[in-house]
Amino acid sequence: MTWTGLFPHTQAMSDEDLLRRWQAGDRAAGQAFFQALYPVVVRFLRNKVADDVRDDLVQQTFMAAAQADFGGRSSVRTWLLGIAWRHLASHFRSAGRLQAREVELGTLSVAELGRGPESQAAWRQEERLLLEGLRSIPVHAQVALELHYWEGMTAAEIAAVTDTPVGTIKTRLRDGRLALERALSRLAASPDALQSTLDDLQGWARRVREAWATPG
Amino acid sequence: MSDLDERLAAAGRLEDSLDERQRQARIQARLFGEAPPVYIDRYRVGDRLGAGAMGTVFAAHDERLDRAVAVKVLRERGDSAAARMLREARALARLSHPHVVTVHEVGQDGDRTFIVMEFVPGTTLAEWQRGRPWRAVLEAYLAAGRGLAAVHAAGLVHRDFKPSNVLVGEDGRVRVADFGLVRAADAVEAGPAPVDPGQRLTASGALVGTPAYMAPEQLRGQSADKISDLFAFSASLYEALAGVRPFVAPEVEAVLARMEAGPPPLPRPVPAGVADAIARGLAHDPARRWASLEALLAALEHGARRRAPWLVPALARGVIAGLAAWSLRTAPTPATPTAPALPAALRQRPDLAARVLALRAPADAAWRQAALEVLGGPVTEQVLRPARGPVSDLQWLGPDDWLLRFMDGTAERWTAGASSPWPGPTLAAACRPTPEAPALPASFVPGSQAGALACAAEGLVDLGPTAATLYPFAGPLRPLGALPAGGHLLTPDGRDILTRVDSGEVLRQTIGSAEPPAPLAGLAGVQRMAAGGAVVAFAQADGHILTWQAGGRPRRVARMDHPAGGLLVSPSGQWLLAWVDGFVRVWDLEVGGEPMQLPGSWRLGVGSFDASGRWLVLVSADSKATLWNLQTEVAHPLVGHSGIVASARFSGGRLVTGGGDGEVRLWTLEGLDGELVGRHRRAIWAATLDPAGDHLATAGMDGVAWIWPLRGGAPVALIGHEKPVFSVHYSRNGARLATGSGDETARVWTSAGAPVATLPGHEGWAYGLDFSPDGRWLATGSRTGVIRLWPAAGGAGRILGDHGGPDRPRRVHTVAFSPDGAWLASAAKSGEVRLWPMAGGPPRLLPPHAGNGHLLYLPDGTLLTLGADADVRQLTTDGGRVLRTLHHPAAVGGVAASADGRWLATSVQGGDVFVWSLADAAAPPRRLGPHAGHAEFLAFDAPAARLLVGTSTGDLRLWRLDDGTSRPLPGHFGGVRFVGFDPAGVPLSAGNDGAVRRWPVDEDEATLRARLARATRVCPTADERAAWFTPAEAAQLGCAP
């Protein structure tokens, strides 16, 4: 979605111009920057955390961007996603979901990290399948694949976002894609497997328990 | 690009939903303080009001019509789902009902369906119902139920009815909302149970509907229909009235198991009729629930109206008129019809608000509270406000004169006075404790004017030196001189001062004697002392508890594992109470033996016995006062204090309690509950009166039968059975009685309790006994359906036959001889009824019942048969012809005929009792009830003026048949197993709690009216007076200023 026409004087500006003007105190430029890059940040976060956490992380990312130094070593988008990545990693750690050890972000999937996106009701079966597949591979691979396919980023750009050597990213893209194919074929080969993933009966029982444990 | 690459790239598409736009706008607003407006169609979208599994609701503004609306945007569910939802939302839009949120428009925005509804400023029912009186809550649910019924009438099912989906507007109107899950009823009901995960689970895995209110069939993933809605409505109402959900368990399976077991009973003061209606709405089997929401609503309304029917409407009007003065200064009735206005301060104090509502509003709440207090528990007679702080001790010296100790800030003060004028002067300085002389034990000599008050300070004891001006004591006041330092006690006879010194010795000094104090022998390490009657009790550090009487030596009562923290002796000297290790134990010093342990946790040192030794008042650890009847062991909570109860005491013939807020209440206990005739160690299974009605025989699960003489005399135990005794029957002349037991024998006894015969060989048990009219034979039935005939004097019996068929439950429930002795009738669990000709020959099979067969010969010789179906049949003596069939709305459980044979009472499952005229078959039955639980046991009094009803939950209720009013007789724990009347017409009962009780209830309406008036007459506090009443009005309140 776009919001063109709302701030005419900012239309011709690049992301970087908008950011610099925002950091200099131009609120209109800041809003234009936010509107331009909001979808990028949301797309990055939406399949990794629950809805309410996502909104907080989006806000934190932009608040940090307003004050952070943009060195110009990469594109604004890469730089901004790097901020989002650090907030996401920090969230996973501070939420006690895992110890602050990189290796675990590499081996645990978002599904295992206890994420629970709630806005997926709208997604068509095929997209659901893919998103489920992405969620079931290690976080680092998921991030690399999503940035590559959704933001069109190169391995070098992804390396900049996650502060990782390029070679590692290339490995993650290759391994992640294989892992995703395996996951998808497992889910797709058996409708039951997909259904069981979606239905997640234990999760269902837990949610029922939670519904009982709290009023309303 | 490979297929996967394409698919992956496509999955990067972001949702363009209103919800997403709203979220972006919200974050933008948080970052920049402003955000561009978001529209859907012509509606400017504002705050998100809430989200459910099916969509999100926003406040919005209709730009064209310039009005506030609520917009619900449904989540995408595929084309067919969207089309169906659209169709159903449009059906809703055609529905117009005051208790259903109006749907203005259903529209499409892109691929989203949205519903535009009226915007209802206000709150949800879930919020609104907190802390409201049950009647207001019920009214709101009745309104919501009518809205839900309208939804059903439109052919729709809500599927997610719950308190948070019902809105209560600022105008007070209740509206059912949140139709995200509403579906056409036929779409749900058609076909087998759908297991389409899209119905049970959303894509994100959330349950459709709210598990906490879901019907069991819905929880199991089966289809939801109107009857599931009815369940959700009942579950919501249950929670609103009980404060907790009916079925709570950590696991779904456990919840389902609880659903099968049925909901726990609703607490008082919810009327039984309402509770029963809800319970039926919560039935596990949908077929056992009400057939429609309308039926449930009608039952709820009926149940609410039947509250306290013993108090006839004329009486109610009188009380309400008497209460009118209390409403003079309350705010005008607000727009919300179900929410009486409260002063703003009271809204912050729901506890206080509840009391003010209960005692002052001339509405149902006051009526209910008054009726509760009058009929169910002790009644406040008078309320005084003598003190500013917690009342820690109080004494009544005479009819109107009192003395009390209270905390005034951090200082402890005594004050004394009379009921009028009020308040009295503070007691003189000599009796005011100081930090240097903090102890002030005050002892009173019951019934004696001499030395009525002792004050101790710095070891000096004076007898009433300064109170004399207030209380003219007879006799000279004598200074006692120095006493040893320690705790002092004036002995009950007023002759001695006992001093407990630090060494643990007790020194005794006779008042007026020149002898120095001397130690009392036989005591060591004494930590506590208490006196009552002629008895002084001591608790030692080694756990021993001892008693002592003047002239004797200390005597051991018990040794506890821990030393007692406090002692109390009743004024009669009969009861000794000790607080030990968090428990309270009570010894009967006259009888001896093991102490009673009172259930619960009680505040150390706060308690009192009344002079008769019948009552004990204690204050619980959470500062609520409870009155115990030591004879019946029934506990009555004292309902009235707004906050904590700081002290409670029987004094001057009254029960008086002091509140933490300085309020003092006087209570009347008259007519509070029944008398305990006697007690089995275990449950009583059956009981019967002898033909003359002056002996009651009871059969106990403890293997003992007892004969209780009702005109006085000692009860007789019938000992011999080795297993539970299930049945007991008298012969027609009362000379013999028979008992049947699980030990496979029946036994015959004389009416004095001497054994006559033991009749062995019953399969499983001997049950269903009856003597032949001439007393020569005893008939028995066994667990396997065998009918036997025994000579009543003993000897070999013979088998008449059995209720055949190996595949049916044959156990015999009842056997009965016809009055002419020609037939023996037997009824079995299978519902089969047989008539055995005593002259010989094969049995006659009567029309069977559905199960649980039961029968009864009426005084005119006709036979009644009944069972687990809804019909009671009246047949000729020989069973040859059905004279009349009495149809009931549900399975019949109990039956009783009046002695004159003119009336028949029957009870049906669910708690209703019907009274039929046996003389006039055309007369419709009268319906009495409902009752809590199944009203299995019924009895008419001799003139058939009253009917006593006992239920499976312990509800005992006495009905007057002239005006259809009733009163509860509270006291049984567990089910009632027998009801009857003694020769004087006093109700009798026996039950699973093992108790045989007698209920002297002779109050006429005038007495009740007076008690009710007293119960509702409460004096307002000074602040309340100032706030709510003019001086002139206050003068009319009938309370001391």
Side-chain angles (χ1 to χ4, degrees):
Chain A
M1 96 202 76
T2 55
W3 299 94
T4 52
L6 289 167
F7 301 96
H9 71 287
T10 63
Q11 269 192 45
M13 293 185 189
S14 68
D15 291 347
E16 184 176 341
D17 288 340
L18 290 172
L19 174 65
R20 294 201 185 283
R21 291 187 69 145
W22 180 25
Q23 291 185 334
D26 182 345
R27 282 206 323 162
Q31 298 203 44
F33 176 83
F34 172 79
Q35 284 169 7
L37 289 163
Y38 174 83
V40 174
V41 177
V42 165
R43 199 155 41 220
F44 177 69
L45 294 170
R46 60 159 185 175
N47 200 30
K48 303 181 182 70
V49 289
D51 272 9
D52 53 335
V53 177
R54 188 194 92 185
D55 287 354
D56 285 348
L57 290 178
V58 170
Q59 188 182 351
Q60 287 167 22
T61 299
F62 279 97
M63 282 171 68
Q67 281 133 36
D69 177 34
F70 173 58
R73 287 181 298 277
S74 64
S75 73
V76 167
R77 199 175 50 152
T78 303
W79 170 80
L80 187 63
L81 286 175
I83 296 174
W85 163 250
R86 287 191 289 279
H87 278 97
L88 176 67
S90 160
H91 162 73
F92 278 142
R93 288 176 191 127
S94 67
R97 285 169 170 81
L98 76 171
Q99 300 299 312
R101 278 183 291 144
E102 279 301 301
V103 61
E104 296 197 41
L105 279 183
T107 54
L108 291 180
S109 69
V110 161
E112 290 164 319
L113 292 174
R115 164 202 169 280
E118 286 146 15
S119 63
Q120 296 211 15
W123 291 77
R124 294 200 171 82
Q125 184 78 358
E126 192 176 313
E127 293 166 343
R128 247 164 56 184
L129 184 67
L130 264 168
L131 294 174
E132 286 297 328
L134 283 166
R135 287 180 46 204
S136 63
I137 64 175
V139 177
H140 277 140
Q142 180 191 357
V143 167
L145 284 178
E146 288 180 0
L147 290 177
H148 178 66
Y149 284 98
W150 295 349
E151 308 302 333
M153 284 183 164
T154 63
E157 285 174 311
I158 298 168
V161 168
T162 56
D163 197 18
T164 314
V166 177
T168 309
I169 295 299
K170 286 180 175 168
T171 308
R172 283 180 188 167
L173 280 171
R174 193 175 57 244
D175 291 353
R177 201 173 180 290
L178 289 170
L180 178 62
E181 278 177 343
R182 277 196 302 275
L184 289 178
S185 64
R186 177 172 55 81
L187 292 172
S190 147
D192 289 347
L194 173 62
Q195 202 54 59
S196 67
T197 303
L198 297 178
D199 287 1
D200 183 13
L201 286 178
Q202 284 193 326
W204 178 77
R206 192 190 66 242
R207 280 186 286 276
V208 170
R209 278 200 298 277
E210 286 164 0
W212 253 289
T214 54
Chain B
M1 266 180 136
S2 75
D3 176 50
L4 177 59
D5 294 329
E6 284 174 24
R7 285 161 62 200
L8 259 174
R13 184 181 74 106
L14 274 184
E15 254 185 309
D16 177 19
S17 69
L18 192 61
D19 198 23
E20 285 295 324
R21 280 187 245 162
Q22 276 288 116
R23 289 170 68 180
Q24 179 176 359
R26 198 166 55 241
I27 297 171
Q28 192 169 344
R30 279 193 275 179
L31 286 166
F32 301 99
E34 62 187 32
V38 174
Y39 282 88
I40 182 165
D41 204 67
R42 67 170 193 267
Y43 303 99
R44 193 179 73 228
V45 179
D47 292 340
R48 184 166 125 149
L49 297 176
M54 305 303 292
T56 311
V57 185
F58 300 91
H61 193 81
D62 183 340
E63 301 279 77
R64 196 174 72 203
L65 297 176
D66 189 27
R67 66 177 179 188
V69 294
V71 174
K72 177 159 198 164
V73 183
L74 302 182
R75 294 215 166 113
E76 181 185 8
R77 310 200 53 212
D79 291 346
S80 65
R84 190 185 65 222
M85 216 166 246
L86 200 59
R87 208 165 54 237
E88 286 151 9
R90 287 190 172 130
L92 265 179
R94 287 193 296 273
L95 173 63
S96 172
H97 190 275
H99 296 302
V100 178
V101 166
T102 304
V103 174
H104 296 313
E105 184 191 348
V106 181
Q108 293 279 121
D109 178 54
D111 56 357
R112 313 248 145 215
T113 304
F114 64 89
I115 303 174
V116 183
M117 300 170 284
E118 68 170 317
F119 180 72
V120 182
T123 183
T124 67
L125 189 53
E127 290 287 326
W128 180 91
Q129 71 196 19
R130 284 190 194 133
R132 305 255 172 187
W134 70 266
R135 193 174 285 277
V137 169
L138 182 60
E139 284 299 324
Y141 272 86
L142 287 172
R146 284 189 277 273
L148 188 57
V151 173
H152 288 174
L156 300 168
V157 177
H158 192 290
R159 292 208 300 164
D160 195 17
F161 184 91
K162 58 178 172 178
S164 58
N165 277 347
V166 178
L167 304 177
V168 183
E170 284 168 358
D171 58 358
R173 189 144 57 85
V174 173
R175 300 156 171 100
V176 178
D178 204 331
F179 302 102
L181 301 180
V182 167
R183 295 194 48 192
D186 52 358
V188 176
E189 285 159 359
V195 278
D196 165 18
Q199 283 185 358
R200 186 157 57 84
L201 305 168
T202 67
S204 62
L207 266 176
V208 171
T210 306
Y213 303 95
M214 266 189 193
E217 63 272 18
Q218 229 173 331
L219 272 179
R220 293 193 168 104
Q222 296 162 11
S223 62
D225 58 12
K226 293 174 183 178
I227 302 304
S228 316
D229 273 0
L230 189 151
F231 181 97
F233 176 85
S234 305
S236 303
L237 178 53
Y238 183 100
E239 180 191 31
L241 295 177
V244 293
R245 298 199 174 122
F247 310 105
V248 184
E251 300 286 342
V252 180
E253 287 310 314
V255 169
L256 287 169
R258 294 205 173 181
M259 285 174 167
E260 282 186 52
L266 278 161
R268 293 171 72 183
V270 177
V274 173
D276 290 349
I278 296 169
R280 183 163 165 194
L282 291 171
H284 180 263
D285 177 2
R288 299 186 77 92
R289 292 177 208 149
W290 298 96
S292 70
L293 202 53
E294 285 89 347
L296 168 58
L297 298 178
L300 288 171
E301 286 181 322
H302 177 77
R305 274 201 306 272
R306 302 244 15 144
R307 178 70 196 164
W310 180 260
L311 297 152
V312 293
L315 180 50
R317 282 196 299 276
V319 170
I320 288 171
L323 278 165
W326 297 100
S327 66
L328 290 176
R329 293 293 296 270
T330 54
T333 307
T336 309
T338 47
L342 286 177
L346 287 182
R347 290 190 190 153
Q348 313 301 321
R349 287 279 309 275
D351 56 338
L352 193 57
R355 188 169 63 117
V356 171
L357 277 178
L359 295 174
R360 294 193 170 80
D364 284 338
W367 170 236
R368 181 191 71 242
Q369 180 75 11
L372 172 76
E373 290 193 352
V374 166
L375 298 179
V379 175
T380 296
E381 203 171 69
Q382 200 175 352
V383 180
L384 310 170
R385 294 282 300 193
R388 285 180 291 277
V391 177
S392 55
D393 195 9
L394 26 76
Q395 302 271 5
W396 229 255
L397 302 177
D400 295 313
D401 301 331
W402 47 265
L403 174 85
L404 64 84
R405 183 164 60 173
F406 68 101
M407 295 301 296
D408 182 8
T410 57
E412 187 175 66
R413 289 157 67 88
W414 285 90
T415 185
S419 301
S420 178
W422 192 265
T426 299
L427 213 59
C431 268
R432 191 192 301 162
T434 65
E436 293 74 33
L440 187 80
S443 294
F444 295 84
V445 183
S448 164
Q449 289 289 302
L453 174 63
C455 299
E458 296 174 316
L460 295 173
V461 173
D462 292 333
L463 290 181
T466 51
T469 51
L470 265 175
Y471 304 102
F473 300 128
L477 301 177
R478 294 167 298 188
L480 285 178
L483 277 179
H488 304 293
L489 180 81
L490 191 64
T491 56
D493 58 12
R495 292 175 53 195
D496 298 312
I497 301 272
L498 300 182
T499 305
R500 185 184 58 79
V501 296
D502 285 346
S503 68
E505 280 186 313
V506 172
L507 307 179
R508 173 190 185 190
Q509 183 177 30
T510 302
I511 296 173
S513 159
E515 295 291 314
L520 213 54
L523 295 171
V526 171
Q527 295 179 320
R528 309 281 165 198
M529 304 189 293
V535 177
V536 181
F538 306 94
Q540 296 186 164
D542 60 5
H544 277 118
I545 294 175
L546 304 96
T547 55
W548 171 78
Q549 299 193 28
R553 282 181 56 84
R555 187 174 63 85
R556 270 187 207 173
V557 174
R559 171 153 194 190
M560 317 305 297
D561 292 338
H562 301 270
L567 292 176
L568 194 62
V569 182
S570 71
S572 60
Q574 179 188 359
W575 302 98
L576 167 63
L577 179 151
W579 286 267
V580 185
D581 197 25
F583 296 101
V584 163
R585 290 184 173 78
V586 179
W587 288 264
D588 186 335
L589 296 176
E590 291 179 0
V591 174
E594 290 298 303
M596 289 189 265
Q597 180 171 315
L598 300 183
S601 178
W602 305 95
R603 181 126 50 86
L604 177 66
V606 184
S608 179
F609 290 95
D610 82 326
S612 72
R614 184 179 182 203
W615 299 104
L616 165 67
V617 64
L618 290 172
V619 176
S620 66
D622 59 351
S623 297
K624 294 182 171 64
T626 297
L627 182 68
W628 291 86
N629 185 322
L630 292 166
Q631 288 162 5
T632 60
E633 296 169 32
V634 170
H636 296 281
L638 298 180
V639 181
H641 278 288
S642 60
I644 67 161
V645 178
S647 52
R649 186 188 283 278
F650 283 96
S651 183
R654 318 174 189 221
L655 171 60
V656 53
T657 56
D661 55 2
E663 184 179 89
V664 171
R665 279 175 179 254
L666 278 75
W667 305 81
T668 177
L669 309 181
E670 56 186 85
L672 205 50
D673 61 17
E675 299 165 1
L676 185 68
V677 175
R679 193 183 267 292
H680 279 256
R681 291 206 333 275
R682 292 180 62 193
I684 292 172
W685 190 253
T688 187
L689 285 162
D690 73 351
D694 49 15
H695 290 82
L696 179 71
T698 54
M701 300 296 279
D702 52 6
V704 179
W706 284 88
I707 301 172
W708 309 92
L710 299 174
R711 294 186 193 272
V716 177
L718 310 183
I719 296 170
H721 282 297
E722 289 158 11
K723 288 197 172 166
V725 186
F726 291 123
S727 48
V728 56
H729 278 261
Y730 272 100
S731 64
R732 302 287 199 275
N733 63 6
R736 294 281 184 273
L737 77 164
T739 53
S741 162
D743 68 1
E744 306 195 335
T745 69
R747 288 166 193 253
V748 181
W749 317 76
T750 69
S751 59
V756 174
T758 298
L759 314 173
H762 295 87
E763 301 84 2
W765 59 54
Y767 205 60
L769 314 172
D770 197 24
F771 285 97
S772 62
D774 60 11
R776 291 174 54 209
W777 301 97
L778 178 73
T780 63
S782 81
R783 189 174 189 176
T784 58
V786 180
I787 308 296
R788 288 181 169 83
L789 206 55
W790 306 83
R798 66 186 169 98
I799 291 176
L800 277 184
D802 65 62
H803 284 263
D807 53 339
R808 305 171 67 202
R810 293 178 291 158
R811 76 177 62 148
V812 176
H813 276 181
T814 325
V815 298
F817 284 94
S818 63
D820 60 9
W823 299 89
L824 175 68
S826 64
K829 173 146 176 90
S830 61
E832 190 179 79
V833 183
R834 290 177 183 230
L835 271 186
W836 310 82
M838 294 310 292
R844 180 176 274 183
L845 273 168
L846 300 193
H849 288 274
N852 282 338
H854 185 50
L855 54 82
L856 176 73
Y857 271 106
L858 296 176
D860 67 357
T862 58
L863 175 65
L864 281 183
T865 68
L866 60 146
D869 48 51
D871 285 346
V872 172
R873 283 189 279 274
Q874 186 180 15
L875 302 101
T876 52
T877 306
D878 61 2
R881 193 157 51 90
V882 177
L883 300 169
R884 184 180 173 192
T885 301
L886 299 93
H887 299 287
H888 293 74
V892 181
V895 62
S898 66
D900 58 11
R902 287 174 54 226
W903 303 99
L904 184 74
T906 56
S907 67
V908 297
Q909 197 161 25
D912 275 333
V913 170
F914 294 89
V915 178
W916 308 76
S917 168
L918 288 172
D920 179 5
R926 283 177 67 190
R927 186 183 185 123
L928 306 175
H931 299 84
H934 301 311
E936 209 176 331
F937 295 90
L938 312 165
F940 287 95
D941 67 357
R946 294 175 300 166
L947 181 74
L948 186 60
V949 179
T951 80
S952 55
T953 62
D955 190 12
L956 186 65
R957 190 167 280 273
L958 181 63
W959 292 86
R960 276 168 53 165
L961 296 174
D962 54 351
D963 59 4
T965 61
S966 77
R967 60 169 297 167
L969 303 176
H972 273 291
F973 305 109
V976 174
R977 298 292 307 178
F978 165 82
V979 296
F981 291 87
D982 78 0
V986 175
L988 296 167
S989 62
N992 279 342
D993 56 3
V996 180
R997 297 186 193 279
R998 202 171 161 271
W999 306 87
V1001 281
D1002 52 5
E1003 285 171 313
D1004 56 13
E1005 188 179 315
T1007 314
L1008 270 177
R1009 189 195 300 264
R1011 292 180 61 200
L1012 188 55
R1014 274 204 308 275
T1016 51
R1017 177 179 166 273
V1018 170
C1019 291
T1021 66
D1023 289 347
E1024 288 167 346
R1025 260 202 308 272
W1028 293 9
F1029 300 92
T1030 65
E1033 286 165 351
Q1036 295 170 1
L1037 296 177
C1039 291

